[in-house]
C-alpha cells in the first residue's frame, strides 16, 4: 500500500455528516517539503504550489501544508523571484512528501540523502527535470524506470549506459517519480494527489486549473521544435525532426529535401518565413547546442564531442563555436 493510499484511509469520507453536538477530530494534514536551490525553475515552483493551493480550496477533509527547504537556507532566488527556505534537516524532520525542483544550478549533494531517507520511510518523492537528471547520474545501477527532460536524455546516453531511461513524460518506481518537469509539472502533481480525491473532486481540480486532460505519465515527451506541430508546417516539422535525429551523421540539404519530399527552394522559403534562418544554419545550431551541453555537462573529450555532433574534428567545431557563441569550446569548459 502506497503512502497516499494509507493517508486516504485517514481522511473522512467526502459525504460524512458529523453531529454538530459532537466534537470533530482535527482534519489530517499532508505536509509537503519543496526543496529548492539557486536558479530553481520558476515554472515548476508555480505549478506545484498552484495545485496544492487549489487542492485546499476544493475540499475540507484534509489540509495540505508546504514549506521550502534548501542546502542554502534563507532567501533562495531565481531572478526576481525569491522564496524563504528552511535548513534541510534529516531524521525526524522529514515531511510526508518531498518535491525537488530542477534548475540550472541543481546539485544532488544534499537532497540525494533526503531522497533515500524518504524511500526508507516509504514516503513519495517527486524529482523534476534537472533534479531527475542529477538523480539518474548518481544512480547508474537504478533498477526502476526513470526519465527527465528530453534535452538531457541524449547527454545521459553519451556519458553512460542507462538502460532504464525512457523518453516518457514521467516514470514511477521505488517510491520516486522522475518527471520531465517544466510544462508537465502541474500534471505531475495532479497525478500525485489524484488518489486522495473522489471523481467529483478530481474533475473540480482539473476545471479550476483549466487542465482539459491530464496526460498520462507514459506518453512520450514532445522533443524539440519539430514536435511543436501546432505551430509548424508539416515539411518544416519533418525537416527539424530529421535534423535532431541525425546530429551525429548530418544529412546534406539534398538528402534532407528528398527525405521530406520538397524542393530545396521550398525548404529555404519555409525556414526563412517561419524561423528567419536557413536550413544549413539551423542544422548547425542544433548540432552546436548539443555540443555545448556535452561540453558543460560531461567530461567527454572535445574530439569525442565533435564526432558525436557531426563535426570532422575539434578545429571545425571550434570555428563553428566562435561564429555562433563568440568563444571556444576550451574557454567554455574552463
Amino acid at each position: 500500500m502506497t503512502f497516499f493510499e494509507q493517508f486516504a484511509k485517514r481522511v473522512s469520507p467526502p459525504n460524512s455528516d458529523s453531529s454538530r453536538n459532537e466534537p470533530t477530530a482535527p482534519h489530517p494534514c499532508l505536509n509537503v517539503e519543496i526543496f529548492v536551490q539557486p536558479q530553481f525553475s520558476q515554472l515548476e515552483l508555480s505549478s506545484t504550489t498552484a495545485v496544492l493551493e487549489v487542492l485546499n480550496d476544493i475540499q475540507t477533509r484534509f489540509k495540505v501544508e508546504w514549506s521550502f527547504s534548501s542546502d542554502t537556507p534563507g532567501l533562495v532566488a531565481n531572478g526576481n523571484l525569491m522564496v524563504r527556505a528552511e535548513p534541510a534537516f534529516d531524521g525526524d524532520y522529514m515531511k510526508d512528501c518531498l518535491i525537488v525542483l530542477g534548475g540550472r544550478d541543481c546539485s544532488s549533494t544534499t537532497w540525494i540523502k533526503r531522497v533515500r531517507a524518504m524511500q526508507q520511510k516509504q514516503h513519495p518523492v517527486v524529482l523534476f527535470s534537472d533534479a531527475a537528471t542529477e538523480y539518474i547520474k548518481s544512480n547508474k545501477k537504478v533498477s526502476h524506470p526513470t526519465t527527465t527532460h528530453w534535452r538531457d536524455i541524449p547527454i545521459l546516453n553519451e556519458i553512460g549506459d542507462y538502460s532504464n531511461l525512457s523518453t516518457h513524460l514521467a516514470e514511477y518506481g521505488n517510491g520516486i517519480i522522475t518527471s520531465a518537469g517544466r510544462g508537465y509539472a502541474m500534471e505531475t502533481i495532479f497525478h500525485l494527489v489524484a488518489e486522495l480525491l473522489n471523481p467529483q473532486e478530481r474533475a473540480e481540480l482539473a476545471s479550476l486549473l483549466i487542465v482539459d486532460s491530464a496526460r498520462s505519465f507514459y506518453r512520450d515527451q514532445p522533443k524539440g521544435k519539430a514536435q511543436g506541430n501546432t505551430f509548424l508546417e508539416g515539411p518544416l516539422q519533418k525537416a527539424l525532426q530529421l535534423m535532431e535525429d541525425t546530429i551525429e551523421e548530418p544529412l546534406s540539404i539534398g538528402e534532407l529535401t528528398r527525405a521530406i519530399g520538397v524542393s530545396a527552394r521550398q525548404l529555404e522559403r519555409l525556414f526563412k518565413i517561419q524561423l528567419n534562418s536557413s536550413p544549413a544554419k539551423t542544422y548547425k545550431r542544433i548540432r552546436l547546442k548539443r555540443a555545448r551541453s556535452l561540453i558543460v555537462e560531461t567530461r567527454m573529450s572535445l574530439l569525442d564531442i565533435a564526432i558525436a555532433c557531426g563535426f570532422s574534428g575539434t578545429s571545425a567545431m571550434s570555428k563553428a563555436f566562435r561564429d555562433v557563441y563568440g568563444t571556444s569550446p576550451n574557454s567554455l569548459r574552463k
Side-chain angles (χ1 to χ4, degrees):
M1 182 181 294
T2 68
F3 169 82
F4 277 173
E5 287 172 336
Q6 294 174 3
F7 183 83
K9 286 184 175 295
R10 294 163 47 199
V11 175
S12 60
N15 297 318
S16 61
D17 184 16
S18 300
S19 171
R20 292 185 179 181
N21 297 323
E22 294 179 4
T24 58
H27 295 307
C29 184
L30 179 68
N31 292 293
V32 178
E33 175 185 355
I34 304 174
F35 191 96
V36 295
Q37 291 178 308
Q39 303 305 314
F40 57 81
S41 167
Q42 295 187 19
L43 178 57
E44 291 167 3
L45 175 66
S46 59
S47 297
T48 298
T49 56
V51 177
L52 300 181
E53 284 176 357
V54 177
L55 186 59
N56 278 335
D57 290 340
I58 65 170
Q59 53 77 44
T60 58
R61 295 176 295 112
F62 62 92
K63 183 177 177 59
V64 184
E65 293 184 350
W66 60 93
S67 59
F68 299 100
S69 65
S70 180
D71 51 4
T72 55
L75 292 177
V76 183
N78 182 356
N80 293 326
L81 180 62
M82 293 183 288
V83 298
R84 186 174 296 280
E86 304 167 353
F89 293 114
D90 294 331
D92 294 336
Y93 294 95
M94 305 299 286
K95 301 292 178 70
D96 297 323
C97 178
L98 171 65
I99 300 171
V100 184
L101 302 187
R104 292 192 298 275
D105 294 340
C106 187
S107 169
S108 65
T109 305
T110 301
W111 56 259
I112 197 67
K113 298 176 184 177
R114 304 180 72 70
V115 169
R116 290 171 183 147
M118 292 290 282
Q119 284 181 294
Q120 290 176 356
K121 290 176 174 285
Q122 296 184 321
H123 287 196
V125 175
V126 179
L127 305 176
F128 282 135
S129 60
D130 299 84
T133 298
E134 289 299 312
Y135 170 75
I136 293 165
K137 283 181 183 177
S138 64
N139 290 269
K140 293 186 177 181
K141 294 182 179 179
V142 66
S143 58
H144 58 83
T146 56
T147 192
T148 185
H149 194 282
W150 68 265
R151 168 205 62 197
D152 289 343
I153 290 174
I155 298 170
L156 289 169
N157 286 329
E158 288 285 353
I159 64 174
D161 179 18
Y162 299 96
S163 57
N164 290 300
L165 179 61
S166 82
T167 58
H168 291 161
L169 286 164
E171 292 282 4
Y172 177 78
N174 201 19
I176 295 176
I177 295 172
T178 49
S179 170
R182 300 301 193 264
Y184 190 64
M186 182 175 288
E187 290 161 86
T188 303
I189 302 300
F190 182 97
H191 284 296
L192 178 70
V193 302
E195 61 187 289
L196 296 176
L197 307 175
N198 61 40
Q200 292 79 12
E201 290 167 341
R202 286 196 290 270
E204 187 176 2
L205 179 62
S207 177
L208 289 172
L209 293 170
I210 316 184
V211 175
D212 192 27
S213 61
R215 291 168 290 178
S216 161
F217 279 7
Y218 306 114
R219 280 184 56 178
D220 271 343
Q221 298 177 43
K223 309 176 195 64
K225 293 179 186 176
Q227 295 295 315
N229 51 25
T230 305
F231 308 102
L232 300 177
E233 295 186 28
L236 183 59
Q237 179 188 349
K238 291 178 183 177
L240 288 168
Q241 186 65 66
L242 274 172
M243 289 177 179
E244 289 164 354
D245 289 344
T246 56
I247 286 177
E248 189 168 354
E249 296 181 2
L251 302 175
S252 67
I253 299 302
E255 290 172 323
L256 200 62
T257 55
R258 286 193 292 275
I260 62 179
V262 299
S263 69
R265 186 173 180 179
Q266 284 177 298
L267 195 64
E268 289 280 351
R269 282 185 67 253
L270 280 173
F271 270 80
K272 180 64 176 175
I273 292 169
Q274 297 289 324
L275 302 178
N276 195 29
S277 183
S278 69
K281 286 182 179 178
T282 303
Y283 209 168
K284 182 177 285 187
R285 282 184 177 275
I286 288 172
R287 291 158 52 211
L288 283 172
K289 193 172 181 179
R290 174 72 58 79
R292 192 177 190 279
S293 294
L294 291 172
I295 290 166
V296 172
E297 301 289 340
T298 78
R299 301 312 300 170
M300 290 173 63
S301 71
L302 294 182
L303 178 58
D304 286 342
I305 292 173
I307 293 170
C309 296
F311 294 98
S312 58
T314 55
S315 297
M317 183 174 71
S318 294
K319 183 180 184 306
F321 246 83
R322 288 192 184 92
D323 291 343
V324 172
Y325 296 118
T327 188
S328 69
N330 276 318
S331 298
L332 192 64
R333 179 160 274 183
K334 288 178 181 177

